[in-house]
Amino acid sequence: MNRIAVANQKGGVGKTTTAINIATALSAVGWRVLLVDLDPQGNASTGLGVDQKQREITSYDVMMGNATVDQAVVSTKLPRLDIVPATQDLSGAEVELVDVDQRMHRLDGALNAIPAGRYDVVLTDCPPSLGLLTVNALVAAHSILVPLQCEFFALEGLSQLLKTVERVRARFNNGLTVLGVALTMFDRRNRLSDQVAKDVRAVLGQVVFDTVIPRNVRLSEAPSHGLPALIYDHRCAGSEAYIGLAREIIGRLDGKARAA
């Protein structure tokens, strides 16, 4: 079971949109996918059509040890795609877990309890911070997927995230790798977007995925309908880009499996 943390401490970079649509694409090709919503805003849950009435048991309960992942799982409208939903209650976990034993390993322990063979991949949508929730996701993950907005401060924020990854690798999870950096919100009319993309590729090389996710109105509209963009409008430029990104992710995961 591959575990991927979708993380970036900056908000508004397309992190949740990426998590939702990659999860959808992977389930569409036959993978059994679990999406863990670890963001108190609960946007991944909303974006997959999970309303508040379905969030009786959430990722907060899992993190606090009050429920198992199996108890919290909600089936989505899409075959082979389940979600552990989130509510604003999760924001209290950062404080409540401070004095708890093994507070960095709460998610890891919960995922370890999932019956073998139930899922092929677990994606964790992290909050826009480098706090305890994100660290839990990194400790529990095999790799990290970083959505990176094509804007001026992109590289500065990325360097902070990569330093956190190195600390987690050194202290808690020596197997953690960077699956890749996905350039998001690319505007071909904006020279800055093009320059940022070139700068990121110059610094990180092959870590950056070839596929670039464009700014796209349909990607923004889809969550309000409780649908991934790949279902809302599979022919829009954003959906086609996420399909291409999913292919690259599958290729990298297969490569890791062969290497292992």
Side-chain angles (χ1 to χ4, degrees):
M1 181 173 67
N2 287 294
R3 301 182 190 175
I4 304 170
V6 184
N8 190 323
Q9 78 273 23
K10 284 177 61 61
V13 301
K15 175 181 56 61
T16 298
T17 299
T18 298
I20 289 173
N21 286 289
I22 292 303
T24 301
L26 295 178
S27 67
V29 298
W31 290 29
R32 295 159 298 176
V33 182
L34 175 65
L35 178 57
V36 178
D37 191 348
L38 210 61
D39 186 342
Q41 297 176 87
N43 290 337
S45 305
T46 301
L48 283 175
V50 179
D51 62 34
Q52 293 296 326
K53 294 179 181 178
Q54 294 176 281
R55 306 184 201 184
E56 295 181 2
I57 303 176
T58 68
S59 53
Y60 168 79
D61 300 296
V62 172
M63 293 294 292
M64 298 308 300
N66 299 325
T68 65
V69 170
D70 274 352
Q71 291 171 326
V73 161
V74 173
S75 298
T76 71
K77 301 171 185 176
L78 307 177
R80 297 177 297 277
L81 176 53
D82 294 339
I83 185 170
V84 175
T87 63
Q88 291 185 350
D89 290 346
L90 188 60
S91 60
E94 295 270 4
V95 176
E96 294 176 52
L97 287 173
V98 168
D99 296 323
V100 174
D101 289 339
Q102 296 291 302
R103 61 183 178 275
M104 304 293 188
H105 299 267
R106 304 295 285 188
L107 182 61
D108 186 41
L111 294 181
N112 285 338
I114 296 176
R118 180 165 180 184
Y119 296 107
D120 299 304
V121 63
V122 177
L123 293 164
T124 302
D125 184 34
C126 299
S129 71
L130 293 178
L132 190 54
L133 293 175
T134 297
V135 171
N136 257 271
L138 296 179
V139 170
H142 299 136
S143 59
I144 176 173
L145 169 60
V146 185
L148 189 70
Q149 186 178 2
C150 294
E151 65 169 23
F152 182 72
F153 293 111
L155 280 173
E156 179 180 326
L158 180 62
S159 66
Q160 295 174 344
L161 177 61
L162 294 180
K163 287 178 183 177
T164 300
V165 170
E166 286 299 325
R167 293 191 189 102
V168 170
R169 183 185 291 134
R171 297 185 60 187
F172 306 110
N173 182 3
N174 60 14
L176 181 64
T177 64
V178 178
L179 179 61
V181 173
L183 297 176
T184 62
M185 300 184 176
F186 184 85
D187 188 346
R188 298 187 184 280
R189 301 167 298 178
N190 188 336
R191 291 184 179 179
L192 179 60
S193 286
D194 191 51
Q195 187 58 53
V196 170
K198 289 179 179 178
D199 289 346
V200 173
R201 292 188 189 282
V203 172
L204 298 177
Q206 294 183 345
V207 172
V208 184
F209 290 104
D210 293 333
T211 304
V212 175
I213 310 300
R215 284 192 178 275
N216 184 254
V217 173
R218 306 299 268 178
L219 289 179
S220 302
E221 291 175 351
S224 66
H225 296 271
L227 292 170
L230 268 67
I231 304 300
Y232 179 64
D233 184 354
H234 71 277
R235 294 182 178 178
C236 73
S239 292
E240 290 180 350
Y242 273 118
I243 291 170
L245 179 59
R247 288 195 189 102
E248 288 194 68
I249 289 172
I250 290 170
R252 294 192 183 189
L253 292 176
D254 284 347
K256 288 178 181 294
R258 286 193 294 268

